[in-house]
Amino acid sequence: MIEGSYYGTDVGEYKFTLTPFSNHAWENGNTYTLSYTFTITKATNHWISEPTIEGWTYGQQPNLPIYEAKIGTAKFEYRLKGTTQYLNSIPTDAGTYEVLVTISNNNVSNVLTKTLEFTIEKATPPYTIPSELSANYGDKLINVALPFDNNGTWTFKDSQYTLVGDAGVNTFTVIYTHIDTNNYNIVEKQVNIVVNKIDATYTAPTAKNDLVYKGDLQELINEGLTSDGIMEYKVDDGIWSTTIPSCVEAKKYVVYYRLIGDANHNDVQETKINVEIKPLEVVINSVLVNDVHLSDNKYTLSINNIDSSVKIDSSSFEIVNYTFVTSNQPGTQEVELTINILDSNYVLTNNKIKTSIVINNHEANEDDNDCTTKVTCKHCDYV
C-alpha cells in the first residue's frame, strides 16, 4: 500500500511510504513500512524559436508575436515606443510600438523575455482625384476650386498664388489630407487644369480727322495698340495687313481692323471705321478764255488758262455755263462763267467768275453756211 505522492509535475518535495498489504510481507519476510522522499527542481527554460512580429497597416488585422519556447505560454504587453505605460490591449492606431513577450512559470528557474519593435503603418485614405478643373489665363491657383469632402481636403502643392500658366492644359500636383492625419498618409496626385484664353486688352484704332487731299499717301487711321496679339487692317475689300492703311485719292473709305490674339488671348472680330479724305478746296483767281466764234447759233467758250490757288492743269476744268454781263456782240465783252472741276480730288469754293472775252467778227453764211458774201446772218443779229 502506498501513502503519499509518488509522482508530481510541479516543482517541490514529495514524500510517500510503502507498507505491505495485510497478509503480505516483503521478500525478506518483514512487514515494516518504508518511507521515501523525492524533489522536483525548477527547470531551465529557453527559446526554441525567438519571438518575432510583423507590423501591419492601419485598419488591417493585427499580427501577434510568433515564438516557440521549451516551456510555457507567453504574455504580450504593448506600449508606444518611447513611453513606459503599457496599454490594455493591442494597439490599432498608426505608430511605432514595442511589445514585451514574457514567459514566466513557477516550475522554471528563469523568466524568458523579449522586447520587439513593430510599426503600424499609416493607411492610404480613400479619395477621388479632382477632374474637370478649369481657369482663365492670368488666374492663380487660389482661383481654382478643388473638391471638398467630409473626410479630407485637396490643396495644391504649389503656392496658392502660383499662376495657372498659359492657355491650354497644364499639370499641377495636388495633396489630399485626410482629417485623421494620425492614421492616414498624405496623398499626392497630378491633375490637369484647362486654362482658357481671355479677351485681349487693346486700344482700338480711330479715324484720322481733317484729312485733305494733298497728292501723296496719307495714313487713314491712328494705329491700334495691344500687347495681346497683332492688329491687322484693310481698306474696303483689300488684303489684311499689319501696315497702317494709306491712300491718296479724295473719297470716303471703309477701314476694317481686327485683332489676332496670341496664344493666351481671344481674337477680336473685324470692326469698321469710316474715314474720308476730303477734296482740296480750290479758289479760282482768274480765267483766260480763248477767242469766241459763233457756231450753230451758239458760242463755244473754252479755257485758255486758269489761275487758281492750287497749281492744277487747265484741262482739269470745264465751262459748264456762261451768262453775258454786257453784250453778246463782237468785241470785248464781260461774261460770268460757271466752271466745273473734273478732278474729284478738288472742290471749287467759287465756281462762278467773271472775265472778259473777245467775240470775233464772223461772216454770215447763207445756204448751209457756205456763202462768201456779207449778208444778214440768219443765225444772229450780225449784219
Side-chain angles (χ1 to χ4, degrees), residues 61-326:
Q61 183 70 28
N63 294 320
L64 297 176
I66 298 174
Y67 69 93
E68 185 179 357
K70 180 180 178 182
I71 301 171
T73 302
K75 177 179 71 172
F76 307 135
E77 296 177 283
Y78 299 89
R79 67 184 177 189
L80 187 65
K81 184 178 180 180
T83 65
T84 58
Q85 182 67 41
Y86 284 99
L87 307 174
N88 295 324
S89 61
I90 299 174
T92 57
D93 287 339
T96 300
Y97 296 88
E98 292 176 336
V99 55
L100 176 62
V101 181
T102 303
I103 297 179
S104 174
N105 192 295
N106 292 331
N107 295 324
V108 295
S109 60
N110 60 322
V111 176
L112 294 181
T113 61
K114 182 75 173 180
T115 299
L116 304 174
E117 182 178 306
F118 67 96
T119 299
I120 301 176
E121 301 289 349
K122 291 183 179 182
T124 298
Y127 61 87
T128 300
I129 299 176
S131 61
E132 298 182 1
L133 302 178
S134 65
N136 294 324
Y137 173 72
D139 282 347
K140 298 179 175 64
L141 293 180
I142 193 174
N143 304 121
V144 180
L146 291 172
F148 173 83
D149 60 52
N150 293 329
N151 294 319
T153 57
W154 287 99
T155 57
F156 285 101
K157 186 174 183 179
D158 293 330
S159 165
Q160 61 181 348
Y161 299 107
T162 300
L163 291 170
V164 296
D166 292 337
V169 179
N170 299 324
T171 302
F172 291 88
T173 300
V174 290
I175 297 173
Y176 182 74
T177 304
H178 195 277
I179 56 175
D180 184 0
T181 55
N182 291 327
N183 292 311
Y184 288 102
N185 288 314
I186 301 296
V187 176
E188 287 192 9
K189 290 294 176 181
Q190 301 292 106
V191 295
N192 292 328
I193 299 178
V194 177
V195 180
N196 302 308
K197 292 183 178 183
I198 61 173
D199 291 338
T201 300
Y202 65 97
T203 300
T206 56
K208 285 197 172 183
N209 298 319
D210 303 324
L211 291 176
V212 178
Y213 174 78
K214 63 179 184 179
D216 297 320
L217 286 170
Q218 298 184 80
E219 291 183 346
L220 299 179
I221 59 171
N222 298 301
E223 182 180 12
L225 301 175
T226 184
S227 58
D228 297 339
I230 298 173
M231 283 280 190
E232 291 187 338
Y233 315 91
K234 71 173 182 176
V235 179
D236 298 328
D237 295 327
I239 298 173
W240 289 103
S241 170
T242 56
T243 303
I244 302 299
S246 300
C247 293
V248 177
E249 302 298 318
K251 58 178 288 189
K252 293 181 178 180
Y253 298 92
V254 177
V255 176
Y256 295 89
Y257 72 89
R258 68 182 180 184
L259 192 155
I260 306 300
D262 59 22
N264 295 312
H265 295 88
N266 295 315
D267 296 342
V268 174
Q269 298 304 309
E270 66 178 52
T271 304
K272 69 179 182 179
I273 305 172
N274 294 316
V275 187
E276 180 180 8
I277 297 179
K278 295 180 179 179
L280 179 62
E281 292 184 349
V282 177
V283 178
I284 298 176
N285 299 319
S286 63
V287 178
L288 179 61
V289 178
N290 292 317
D291 290 349
V292 179
H293 295 273
L294 183 67
S295 175
D296 292 333
N297 203 26
K298 294 181 181 179
Y299 293 104
T300 302
L301 278 63
S302 60
I303 297 172
N304 178 275
N305 188 39
I306 194 164
D307 178 43
S308 62
S309 59
V310 179
K311 187 175 182 180
I312 305 173
D313 191 270
S314 297
S315 63
S316 296
F317 299 88
E318 66 175 352
I319 299 173
V320 295
N321 196 14
Y322 61 88
T323 302
F324 285 103
V325 177
T326 55

Side-chain angles (χ1 to χ4, degrees), residues 315-362:
S315 63
S316 296
F317 299 88
E318 66 175 352
I319 299 173
V320 295
N321 196 14
Y322 61 88
T323 302
F324 285 103
V325 177
T326 55
S327 170
N328 63 352
Q329 299 304 308
T332 301
Q333 305 292 347
E334 186 177 11
V335 66
E336 184 178 69
L337 304 175
T338 301
I339 296 177
N340 182 39
I341 190 165
L342 300 174
D343 191 334
S344 60
N345 291 312
Y346 302 94
V347 61
L348 294 176
T349 60
N350 59 332
N351 67 334
K352 293 183 182 295
I353 189 168
K354 293 179 181 180
T355 189
S356 296
I357 63 173
V358 175
I359 302 176
N360 292 322
N361 290 333
H362 66 285

